[in-house]
Amino acid sequence: AMLPDEMAEHFAITGCSDERFGEVVAMLTDSEDAVAVFSEALSALPSYWKPKKILYVSSLPQTISGKPDRAAARRIMSEKL
């Protein structure tokens, strides 16, 4: 993995619409230090995987089985940004 294991529980990567590019990589985080999580992702990921937008949420969306709910993450990004 490109990101440290301790980051896995603090963010979710999704896409969101963008006027200029059509869609961009976006990050949801439940960490109160969203800037640190974002900075760590920017330094660890290749340029084409780096999030262009970030959004703090109180809790990351999960499915009933406890896996990241990617559809909900995308919906949250589109509603909030």
Side-chain angles (χ1 to χ4, degrees):
M2 290 187 184
L3 293 174
D5 291 337
E6 60 270 9
M7 284 188 65
E9 62 191 65
H10 297 289
F11 73 96
I13 298 292
T14 188
C16 69
S17 56
D18 181 79
E19 279 188 32
R20 182 173 180 197
F21 298 109
E23 186 170 86
V24 294
V25 178
M27 174 187 278
L28 288 172
T29 183
D30 64 355
S31 172
E32 291 189 15
D33 194 357
V35 173
V37 173
F38 189 62
S39 295
E40 195 165 349
L42 289 179
S43 67
L45 295 171
S47 62
Y48 53 90
W49 282 0
K50 291 179 180 178
K52 305 296 185 229
K53 298 181 181 183
I54 185 171
L55 179 66
Y56 170 79
V57 291
S58 59
S59 64
L60 294 172
Q62 294 184 342
T63 63
I64 294 170
S65 62
K67 294 180 180 179
D69 189 337
R70 296 177 185 184
R74 181 178 285 274
R75 192 170 41 255
I76 290 168
M77 285 302 282
S78 67
E79 290 171 359
K80 303 282 182 175
L81 293 179

